Amino acid sequence: MPHPAFPPDPADLDRGPRWRRKVIDVPGIEFEPRPPLSAEDFRPDSECDGWSAGRVAVRSASVRGDRHRYYKQPRQDSVCSAFHDSAGAVIFAVADGVSNAEASEIGSTDACRAAAGALANQLESGPGALDFVQVARYVSGTLRRRAQTMLNAGSLPGPADAGKLLATTLVAGAAWPDRDGVSVRLFRVGDSSAWVLNTEQGQYRHLFPSPAGDEEVLVSNEVTALPGVPETLEQQSLLVVPGQVLLVGTDGFGLPLGDGDGAVGALFARHLVSPGSPLWLGHVLDFSRETFDDDRTLLALWPLPPDGTGTV
């Protein structure tokens, strides 16, 4: 009910009552989200961030999936971004805690922070100094040390034992302005992924191959999550030009997106033409669609004109 003394703002009416969730096809069940059972480590249901630096604009959002909202579980996804002033580079990281791990929300947060810190240290010597294998190993060591503390263990646990507590995927990298756009280097461990969206055509290009299956595996012959580090690290280098957007996200976004030729792809192609409000990105990311109830995290990066205008 509107307040009798304050008529509704027409701009609010354009968005629908109180930013009602966007629905794609058949909606999920509506309910009031429940708080996580543990209050020891405060973790918000949703978070968003956004800023521009020079010729690069960044927006990110992470929302708790309906499954975790219903079963009183915390959001297990994490995202972070930062600007390295001396290198003129954007640092970014997105992580998805593996659901079978006991404290994967801690693992995903630690992985993002450790990756960002390691990348920042390497960028002190310039973009050419980036060594993603060393970054992945540093993140692995950070997670193993965290597990040692949590287990009160006398020695550093191996990746398998630490993974039972903190297993997480990770996509991380750096981007810096280039004469023709934004140069990007990134790597991943696990099934989180990255795409380039052509905003004029509404088409998505996958930067990493889709995983063989959707099952989450903590330990196997083929490492799929940190703190395990694969023998061969998946890496990509590319140039993002005007009219394109770099997207980095967890499978909560990637699975409903698919090849990008459906309703989810069309929704984000409409709303990612330019870097709008971070709050609005979070709202769009929290769409309702039956069976897609996982946490969702998305980081978007746009190249800007030389004067840095055209952000909103």
Side-chain angles (χ1 to χ4, degrees):
M1 293 289 293
H3 194 287
F6 302 99
D9 187 327
D12 292 338
L13 296 178
D14 291 342
R15 297 284 193 263
R18 294 187 178 183
W19 283 25
R20 179 179 296 164
R21 283 182 88 180
K22 292 185 176 296
V23 174
I24 297 179
D25 298 331
V26 179
I29 299 173
E30 278 195 46
F31 62 93
E32 181 67 12
R34 304 175 181 183
L37 290 173
S38 174
E40 296 177 359
D41 183 23
F42 173 73
R43 191 171 184 81
D45 174 276
S46 305
E47 63 175 315
C48 58
D49 191 16
W51 43 268
S52 298
R55 293 171 55 198
V56 184
V58 178
R59 301 289 187 268
S60 66
S62 182
V63 300
R64 186 162 56 132
D66 282 350
R67 183 170 70 249
H68 289 158
R69 287 169 174 165
Y70 184 83
Y71 287 109
K72 301 183 178 181
Q73 296 172 326
R75 175 172 49 87
Q76 296 171 341
D77 283 5
S78 296
V79 57
C80 72
S81 59
F83 185 69
H84 193 288
D85 190 53
S86 62
V90 173
I91 296 168
F92 57 87
V94 168
D96 179 0
V98 176
S99 61
N100 291 338
E102 295 178 28
S104 63
E105 68 277 8
I106 297 175
S108 68
T109 300
D110 283 2
C112 283
R113 292 175 177 171
L119 289 166
N121 287 336
Q122 291 185 359
L123 283 170
E124 291 294 334
S125 300
L130 290 178
D131 183 338
F132 289 149
V133 173
Q134 289 300 322
V135 173
R137 289 173 178 169
Y138 178 78
V139 175
S140 174
T142 299
L143 295 176
R144 292 172 64 189
R145 288 188 291 273
R146 167 75 84 161
Q148 181 180 17
T149 300
M150 295 174 68
L151 295 170
N152 195 24
S155 59
L156 194 67
D161 289 334
K164 293 175 183 177
L165 276 177
L166 303 170
T168 182
T169 71
L170 177 67
V171 182
W176 52 94
D178 183 271
R179 181 181 61 182
D180 299 316
V182 175
S183 292
V184 180
R185 289 187 60 197
L186 71 166
F187 74 95
R188 79 165 177 176
V189 177
D191 61 0
S192 294
S193 199
W195 306 259
V196 171
L197 167 63
N198 183 315
T199 58
E200 295 180 359
Q201 301 174 355
Q203 295 179 341
Y204 297 79
R205 174 166 61 93
H206 291 253
L207 296 182
F208 296 104
S210 299
D214 297 331
E215 297 181 0
E216 291 174 310
V217 181
L218 289 179
V219 180
S220 69
N221 292 331
E222 181 180 357
V223 175
T224 59
L226 289 159
V229 178
E231 292 184 6
T232 302
L233 199 63
E234 294 183 274
Q235 306 183 38
Q236 287 287 348
S237 298
L238 66 148
L239 178 68
V240 181
V241 300
Q244 296 180 339
V245 188
L246 173 71
L247 304 178
V248 181
T250 61
D251 63 356
F253 169 77
L255 290 178
L257 175 69
D259 291 332
D261 56 359
V264 173
L267 173 69
F268 284 90
R270 288 196 303 271
H271 289 280
L272 295 177
V273 171
S274 62
S277 163
L279 289 171
W280 188 249
L281 175 60
H283 173 62
V284 175
L285 189 64
D286 194 29
F287 64 83
S288 178
R289 190 180 194 184
E290 189 178 42
T291 74
F292 290 103
D293 56 4
D294 196 5
D295 299 340
R296 297 187 195 123
T297 298
L298 182 65
L299 179 142
L301 186 151
W302 291 260
L304 297 178
D307 60 359
T309 60
T311 58
V312 183

